[in-house]
Amino acid sequence: MQLYENYITEKEQALLLSVDTGEFDAQDSIDELEQLAFTAGAEVVGKVIQKREAPEAATFLGYGKIAEVIAFCQMNTVDILSFDSELTPSQQRNIEKLTDVRVIDRTMLILDIFAARARTNEGKLQVELAQLKYSLPRLSGKGTELSRLGGGIGTRGPGETKLETDKRHIRRRIQKLENDLAELEKRRDRLRSRRRKNGIETVAIVGYTNAGKSTLMNMLTNAGVLAEDKLFATLDPTSRALTLPDGRKVMLIDTVGLIRRLPHKLVEAFKSTLEEAAEASVILNVCDASDEHANEHLDVTKNLLEELGCAGIPVISVMNKCDKVGDIYSMPTFGKTVLISALEGRGLDALLDAVVKELPPTRRSAKLLIPFKDGALAARVRKEGAVEMEEYRPDGLYMEATVSVSLLEELKGFIVD
């Protein structure tokens, strides 16, 4: 049992608990749970890991370890017991009765962070739907307790009034939210179709939470997205226009951050948002190269991309914070790899060049001699293409430029060797 002492704070104090069955690295996972608790606004007073072949059916931890937890709670101020797995409703109730301390699990903690971070209407609907689906099986046996909530971690979002906690009302609300999200998904599909019709190509930014996606978005597009050293600092997707070195304009889309063992309810709720990656022309898999678990983070993203049906879409592994790493070339990646430091602006030109190479070849370089009387065409070349050189000659304007294939077709009479 790892305990922290001498905490004097007004924040809710959380004791983190986990059972190590060998299924995953329990220490790394509970360390990540500590980051989640910090993001939610809690102060961690200790971490407890118990090795067992399987969690105890009634209390998750063994009864001996539960007794230790009860003793610690009686001798210290503990507001929350946070478990690093999803508890069953009966486990949650049993632990609360034994310890007289509020119990939340990993799923509830992540839901709470999402509820606090959601800003757009779609994001709020997605979070509320996931929260209600999570809460519905946990209503049995609580009776009127649900009307006693007084705020704190695990209680944000739609709330739990006596009327809302009635199962019939919750099921109706779930149905309403699903209908609303279906309409929003149709609208998102129409936007995707319009982009395809207008020939607008998209580049999706995906990756583990806190890998620097928002910082990269800001550096490339001046998007003004919140960038903090916290998990899930931003939740809602952001889209901005980006002009590439060859003059091509694409839509750069940031998606919600990922995390190991992300609750399936959240993957389902945010699937329409994450599916932006499945519609993208190129995917940027941003990874914090300085994180000792960078390899695992890349795998988490890779597995989700496969689940979303992104096979065949070019992927560029963007190893961010490379200035903090010694031997970056020893790291396994998938797809093409670019080394950058988004905060310092290093490697961004190489990243944009890599994006250009991965996009479908819809542009070509050409040498043009445009008569002065066709100045409107020259203006279009400047506006729609990337001009490397232009020179006024006696018989017209000489230009070396990269333009779209469709514009080049209009200019074919002015192409010179």
Side-chain angles (χ1 to χ4, degrees):
M1 181 181 291
Q2 182 182 358
L3 304 176
Y4 307 150
E5 297 179 353
N6 301 324
Y7 270 94
I8 301 175
T9 176
E10 295 181 0
K11 294 183 178 181
E12 291 181 283
Q13 299 195 34
L15 179 62
L16 311 184
L17 307 109
S18 173
V19 168
D20 182 3
T21 61
E23 183 180 352
F24 52 87
D25 190 318
Q27 185 62 55
D28 289 343
S29 187
I30 202 169
D31 288 344
E32 188 172 78
L33 187 70
E34 183 174 15
Q35 289 182 276
L36 289 168
F38 167 74
T39 301
E43 201 78 69
V44 175
V45 297
K47 295 186 284 190
V48 178
I49 299 177
Q50 182 183 31
K51 285 186 176 289
R52 290 178 60 92
E53 290 186 3
E56 169 62 39
T59 56
F60 195 74
L61 296 175
Y63 288 103
K65 188 62 69 176
I66 281 288
E68 291 181 29
V69 171
I70 293 171
F72 179 80
C73 293
Q74 290 173 345
M75 292 168 36
N76 299 273
T77 301
V78 178
D79 302 303
I80 304 167
L81 296 178
S82 180
F83 285 77
D84 195 27
S85 295
E86 185 166 319
L87 301 176
T88 66
S90 60
Q91 285 173 337
Q92 184 176 345
R93 288 194 298 270
N94 291 338
I95 298 166
E96 286 184 340
K97 286 178 182 177
L98 289 169
T99 62
D100 198 28
V101 177
R102 184 153 53 90
V103 173
I104 63 175
D105 59 16
R106 184 183 180 89
T107 300
M108 186 185 294
L109 183 59
I110 295 175
L111 284 171
D112 182 83
I113 295 170
F114 273 42
R117 301 287 180 178
R119 292 292 178 268
T120 65
N121 182 49
E122 182 177 10
K124 292 175 181 178
L125 291 177
Q126 288 166 329
V127 172
E128 184 177 356
L129 176 61
Q131 284 182 311
L132 291 177
K133 285 187 173 181
Y134 173 85
S135 300
L136 187 59
R138 288 165 170 76
L139 297 181
S140 300
K142 285 197 172 184
T144 59
E145 286 181 25
L146 294 173
S147 61
R148 60 155 168 72
L149 292 180
I153 296 171
T155 66
R156 288 184 281 237
E160 292 179 323
T161 66
K162 189 173 182 180
L163 179 63
E164 290 169 333
T165 53
D166 184 277
K167 287 188 176 183
R168 293 190 303 276
H169 291 283
I170 287 185
R171 289 194 181 101
R172 289 172 190 157
R173 180 62 179 162
I174 287 174
Q175 185 62 53
K176 171 74 164 54
L177 291 171
E178 288 178 339
N179 291 339
D180 290 345
L181 284 170
E183 286 300 315
L184 288 172
E185 190 170 346
K186 288 179 183 177
R187 188 183 308 169
R188 191 184 291 277
D189 287 340
R190 287 195 294 270
L191 286 173
R192 290 172 183 153
S193 298
R194 194 178 306 161
R195 285 182 204 146
R196 287 193 294 268
K197 183 178 179 181
N198 295 336
I200 299 175
E201 294 168 305
T202 58
V203 177
I205 301 177
V206 301
Y208 214 74
T209 182
N210 207 28
K213 298 189 303 301
S214 297
T215 302
L216 177 60
M217 185 84 171
N218 290 336
M219 289 297 293
L220 292 176
T221 67
N222 296 316
V225 179
L226 174 68
E228 288 184 329
D229 187 18
K230 287 184 177 181
L231 303 187
F232 303 117
T234 53
L235 175 62
D236 299 307
T238 305
S239 302
R240 292 291 187 275
L242 173 65
T243 302
L244 297 174
D246 66 351
R248 192 173 353 184
K249 288 187 177 180
V250 297
M251 188 67 68
L252 187 65
I253 301 175
D254 189 12
T255 59
V256 65
L258 306 177
I259 196 170
R260 63 164 69 88
R261 296 164 56 221
L262 185 66
H264 187 68
K265 295 178 180 65
L266 282 178
V267 174
E268 285 299 313
F270 283 83
K271 199 161 190 177
S272 64
T273 304
L274 292 168
E275 281 175 351
E276 291 287 359
E279 297 289 330
S281 304
V282 176
I283 295 172
L284 305 182
N285 180 12
V286 181
C287 178
D288 179 357
S290 66
D291 193 301
E292 60 180 320
H293 305 295
N295 299 348
E296 183 182 346
H297 296 177
L298 284 170
D299 285 339
V300 168
T301 309
K302 181 180 179 181
N303 292 337
L304 183 61
L305 290 176
E306 290 174 353
E307 182 182 332
L308 292 172
C310 297
I313 299 176
V315 176
I316 300 174
S317 294
V318 183
M319 308 307 292
N320 191 24
K321 308 180 187 180
C322 62
D323 51 304
K324 298 181 179 180
V325 181
D327 187 12
I328 187 69
Y329 296 99
S330 64
M331 296 186 58
T333 61
F334 65 98
K336 293 187 176 294
T337 304
V338 179
L339 312 180
I340 72 164
S341 172
L343 189 62
E344 297 181 0
R346 291 169 50 186
L348 300 186
D349 290 340
L351 173 60
L352 294 178
D353 288 339
V355 171
V356 170
K357 291 177 182 177
E358 292 299 322
L359 285 172
T362 58
R363 300 172 74 81
R364 285 177 52 195
S365 296
K367 297 178 181 179
L368 307 165
L369 185 61
I370 302 175
F372 294 122
K373 65 183 179 65
D374 294 307
L377 283 175
R380 284 187 62 190
V381 171
R382 295 191 189 99
K383 181 180 179 181
E384 300 176 23
V387 179
E388 289 88 38
M389 173 190 171
E390 61 178 83
E391 178 181 88
Y392 287 94
R393 296 182 178 180
D395 49 351
L397 178 63
Y398 174 78
M399 307 180 81
E400 293 181 6
T402 301
V403 297
S404 66
V405 173
S406 58
L407 178 56
L408 194 61
E409 180 66 23
E410 297 181 47
L411 297 165
K412 61 184 180 181
F414 307 123
I415 297 175
V416 296
D417 294 332

